[in-house]
Amino acid sequence: MTNSRNRLSDPVSAARAWARFRWIMRWVIATAMFSVAAALAYLWADGSPLTVAVVVATSAGVSLSVLLAGALMALIFMSSGSGHDEDVGRSSEDLGDRWDRRP
């Protein structure tokens, strides 16, 4: 019987979870690049002066915001898909004496 407490110890489950994380992050990176292009296009169409500082600040701010939000979302999906959320939700009675450190 396998240990269902830590499913990321299983190489197949871990590989599947990390593959899904990388797949989501590819889409997040593409979304971040599109968002930067859209923000710069909006600033150009609005008539704002696009100096180097404005372009760098807008690119960094938009891309880092989208990447951070996407990475946190992907980690939530990874946690849920790997079974960690269910393991945390189980009560201590279900685990038996495994975590009881009393002599």
Side-chain angles (χ1 to χ4, degrees), residues 63-83:
S63 64
L64 291 177
S65 296
V66 172
L67 288 172
L68 179 63
L72 291 174
M73 179 191 67
L75 286 173
I76 289 171
F77 286 141
M78 184 176 155
S79 173
S80 175
S82 65

Side-chain angles (χ1 to χ4, degrees), residues 25-53:
M25 286 307 296
R26 284 186 193 112
W27 281 104
V28 169
I29 290 169
T31 303
M33 290 189 302
F34 175 75
S35 299
V36 167
L40 291 175
Y42 173 77
L43 289 175
W44 178 76
D46 190 41
S48 299
L50 291 180
T51 63
V52 174

Side-chain angles (χ1 to χ4, degrees), residues 89-99:
R90 288 191 304 177
S91 66
S92 61
E93 291 85 26
D94 295 341
L95 297 175
D97 293 333
R98 180 175 177 186
W99 299 105

